[in-house]
Amino acid sequence: MLTNARMLFVALLTIAATTSIAEINDPNKIISFYGTGADSCGALVLEFKENSPRDMLKYKGTTYSTKANVYAQWLSGYLSAYNLFVSKTGDVNSASHDIWGPLEWIHQYCKQNPTDTVIRATGSLILFLSQQQELQLPANNQ
């Protein structure tokens, strides 16, 4: 049985994940996003210059995430929610099954579009991955 907190979390994920990617990428549509996804692409690029998303910081026996690692965790969560609630295939990232390829794709996108947000970069990534999947599907499975 789901607790109230879990039900609220699932409801919020459903709302966030079902927002159409086209809406996210529509420059005329205003959608509020909070946290890491609301960061600018420029902030992501600067962080990746200083830290690898695979690195963690250790201080006095405690391990801490770098902001670069937080971007990787955020993207993992976003793509997982997208797979759970939106994706027709259940895995929009079926070509690589890890987060590092999509994260590098976003990094390259952000280098070219530093004033975009991370969520807009993620929307573009999902559109790209979805188009790649459609190209790879046999004609009888479309």
Side-chain angles (χ1 to χ4, degrees), residues 12 15-35 37-39 74 78 117-120 123:
L12 290 174
I15 291 167
T18 57
T19 298
S20 112
I21 298 305
E23 288 178 317
I24 291 170
N25 287 327
D26 179 356
N28 299 316
K29 176 100 174 164
I30 298 174
I31 301 173
S32 296
F33 287 96
Y34 305 98
D39 288 359
W74 181 88
Y78 193 94
T117 59
V118 173
I119 188 70
R120 183 160 290 175

Side-chain angles (χ1 to χ4, degrees), residues 32-106:
S32 296
F33 287 96
Y34 305 98
T36 303
D39 288 359
S40 73
C41 274
L44 180 141
V45 171
L46 287 174
E47 179 60 29
F48 280 27
K49 282 183 181 178
E50 293 187 23
N51 295 296
S52 165
R54 296 175 188 246
D55 292 342
M56 303 289 279
L57 299 174
K58 293 187 188 230
Y59 179 72
K60 293 186 178 182
T62 303
T63 303
Y64 300 93
S65 296
T66 63
K67 182 68 177 197
N69 184 263
V70 170
Y71 286 119
Q73 293 175 37
W74 181 88
L75 182 61
S76 294
Y78 193 94
L79 290 180
S80 295
Y82 182 86
N83 287 338
L84 182 62
F85 295 108
V86 180
S87 174
K88 293 175 185 172
T89 64
D91 188 3
V92 72
N93 184 32
S94 60
S96 69
H97 302 293
D98 69 25
I99 201 61
W100 307 115
L103 191 61
E104 181 57 26
W105 192 98
I106 286 180

Side-chain angles (χ1 to χ4, degrees), residues 104-119:
E104 181 57 26
W105 192 98
I106 286 180
H107 184 210
Q108 295 306 316
Y109 175 96
C110 284
K111 283 180 179 179
Q112 296 173 13
N113 303 281
T115 60
D116 275 358
T117 59
V118 173
I119 188 70

